[in-house]
């Protein structure tokens, strides 16, 4: 006989009344059931917000499409280069303009060779004075001409043996027989004409610093009939330059001379040249 064993039924737990205790604890903590319900509901809402968000990712292009795009770019680049070559070829076979025809005629008539003209133009680039320097020279010459008008006639009358100038050293040596010079007087006369000579007049110069050659004529009334004797001409010429140098150093109206001195013309000590260095180089 089969014996059937009856399963023991589990005893049901008795309900525990803790509602009052919970209410009491909630009142003590300063909270209530509504606040707990709100706290329980808030995480659910926040989780739903995160779960609802999404991102779409584009599928990568296939290798075949990328190869076609690369090939298309290469073809476009080759076509652009081909068009540029065609334009360059058209420029080569373009008929010459009037200026180009005139230039060819000048080369044929004056230079007789394209190579020689190129050499001349290259040399001119090296020796041509810059526009900034040329404008400074023109401005300095204008101020120098104005300065010459301020030097009056009859100033600096002295004997040829009197070589004492303030701030300027007389460039010639006084001979031992001074009597031949004491009899002659020198009187400065105004001269406003200044000639610009040398390479700088043509807008070219070689080397640094730039040297501008000026020619100043001594008035004819400064000389006498027998000035060719006893070095009278040379001393009058030196006195004329020394008087100008003294006035240049002493005046303050025009900023012309930062430094003055004398140099021999081509090594000839009897023909000193007044060398003026501008104050603004």
């Amino acid at each position: 006989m089969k014996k059937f064993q009856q399963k023991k039924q589990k005893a049901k737990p008795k309900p525990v009344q803790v509602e009052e205790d919970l209410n009491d604890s909630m009142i003590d903590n300063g909270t209530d059931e509504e606040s707990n319900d709100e706290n329980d509901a808030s995480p659910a809402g926040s989780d739903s917000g995160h779960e609802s968000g999404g991102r779409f990712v584009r599928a990568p292009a296939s290798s075949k499409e990328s190869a076609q795009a690369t090939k298309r770019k290469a073809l476009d680049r080759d076509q652009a280069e081909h068009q540029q070559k065609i334009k360059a070829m058209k420029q080569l076979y373009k008929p010459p303009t009037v200026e180009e025809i005139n230039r060819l005629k000048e080369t044929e008539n004056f230079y007789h060779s394209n190579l020689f003209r190129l050499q001349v133009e290259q040399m001119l680039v090296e020796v041509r004075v810059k526009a900034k320097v040329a404008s400074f020279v023109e401005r300095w010459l204008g101020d120098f001409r104005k300065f010459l008008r301020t030097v009056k006639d009859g100033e600096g009358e002295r004997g040829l043996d009197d070589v004492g100038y303030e701030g300027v050293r007389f460039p010639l040596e006084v001979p031992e027989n001074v009597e031949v010079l004491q009899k002659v007087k020198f009187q400065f006369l105004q001269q406003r004409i200044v000639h610009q000579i040398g390479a700088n007049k043509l807008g070219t110069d070689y080397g640094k610093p730039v040297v501008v050659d000026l020619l100043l004529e001594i008035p004819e009334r400064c000389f006498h009939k027998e000035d060719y004797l006893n070095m009278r001409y040379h001393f009058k010429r030196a006195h004329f330059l020394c008087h100008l140098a003294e006035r240049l150093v002493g005046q303050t109206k025009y900023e012309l001379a930062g430094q003055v001195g004398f140099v021999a013309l081509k090594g000839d000590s009897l023909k000193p040249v007044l060398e003026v260095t501008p104050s603004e180089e």
Side-chain angles (χ1 to χ4, degrees):
M1 293 180 65
K2 294 182 180 179
K3 293 182 180 181
F4 296 95
Q5 295 180 359
Q6 295 181 354
K7 294 182 179 180
K8 294 182 180 180
Q9 295 181 356
K10 293 182 180 180
K12 295 182 179 179
K14 295 181 180 180
V16 182
Q17 295 181 357
V18 294
E19 185 175 357
E20 294 180 358
D21 298 334
L22 290 173
N23 292 333
D24 295 337
S25 63
M26 291 169 66
I27 292 171
D28 294 337
N29 294 331
T31 59
D32 53 3
E33 293 180 356
E34 294 178 359
S35 62
N36 291 332
D37 295 337
E38 292 176 359
N39 293 332
D40 294 337
S42 60
S46 61
D47 293 338
S48 63
H50 288 289
E51 292 175 358
S52 62
R55 184 176 62 180
F56 296 96
V57 180
R58 181 177 295 177
S62 62
S63 59
K64 186 177 181 180
E65 293 178 356
S66 60
Q68 290 179 354
T70 305
K71 187 176 181 180
R72 194 180 302 110
K73 290 181 180 179
L75 289 174
D76 294 341
R77 184 169 58 253
D78 294 341
Q79 289 180 358
E81 292 178 357
H82 182 65
Q83 292 294 333
Q84 291 180 357
K85 290 180 180 180
I86 292 175
K87 289 182 180 179
M89 292 295 292
K90 288 182 178 179
Q91 290 293 332
L92 290 176
Y93 294 100
K94 186 178 179 180
T97 61
V98 178
E99 295 180 357
E100 292 175 348
I101 293 175
N102 293 334
R103 182 179 175 85
L104 291 173
K105 289 182 179 180
E106 289 178 359
T107 304
E108 183 180 358
N109 296 331
F110 299 109
Y111 297 94
H112 305 289
S113 172
N114 289 330
L115 179 60
F116 179 64
R117 179 164 189 170
L118 290 174
Q119 292 175 348
V120 171
E121 290 178 351
Q122 185 65 28
M123 183 185 64
L124 288 176
V125 171
E126 296 178 358
V127 301
R128 184 176 288 115
V129 178
K130 296 181 179 179
K132 182 179 179 180
V133 178
S135 62
F136 174 78
V137 171
E138 291 296 331
R139 186 173 66 254
W140 191 92
L141 283 176
D143 293 341
F144 183 70
R145 291 188 176 95
K146 294 177 183 178
F147 158 74
L148 290 178
R149 297 188 185 97
T150 62
V151 185
K152 304 300 181 181
D153 292 343
E155 291 183 358
E157 184 177 357
R158 62 177 69 198
L160 294 183
D161 61 331
D162 186 4
V163 294
Y165 287 92
E166 184 178 356
V168 181
R169 181 182 178 183
F170 196 77
L172 300 180
E173 295 182 1
V174 180
E176 295 180 357
N177 52 344
V178 188
E179 295 80 8
V180 296
L181 299 176
Q182 291 176 349
K183 299 178 182 179
V184 183
K185 299 290 184 180
F186 170 77
Q187 184 179 8
F188 181 86
L189 297 178
Q190 190 182 69
Q191 176 57 273
R192 301 180 181 181
I193 302 175
V194 181
H195 302 282
Q196 185 177 356
I197 60 176
N200 193 267
K201 184 179 180 181
L202 303 175
T204 59
D205 200 355
Y206 186 75
K208 292 183 179 180
V210 177
V211 179
V212 180
D213 298 324
L214 301 179
L215 177 63
L216 189 64
E217 296 181 5
I218 302 176
E220 186 178 356
R221 292 180 297 167
C222 292
F223 298 103
H224 297 88
K225 184 177 180 180
E226 296 181 352
D227 282 347
Y228 65 93
L229 298 173
N230 300 324
M231 297 181 63
R232 291 180 184 178
Y233 164 77
H234 297 289
F235 269 79
K236 285 187 176 182
R237 182 178 180 275
H239 277 290
F240 187 87
L241 294 176
C242 285
H243 184 72
L244 283 179
E246 185 181 33
R247 290 296 305 273
L248 274 173
V249 175
Q251 63 89 29
T252 57
K253 185 176 181 180
Y254 304 103
E255 297 181 358
L256 296 174
Q259 185 179 0
V260 295
F262 288 95
V263 294
L265 178 62
K266 297 181 180 180
D268 189 356
S269 59
L270 295 178
K271 294 181 180 179
V273 177
L274 179 61
E275 187 178 51
V276 181
T277 304
S279 56
E280 298 180 4
E281 294 188 4

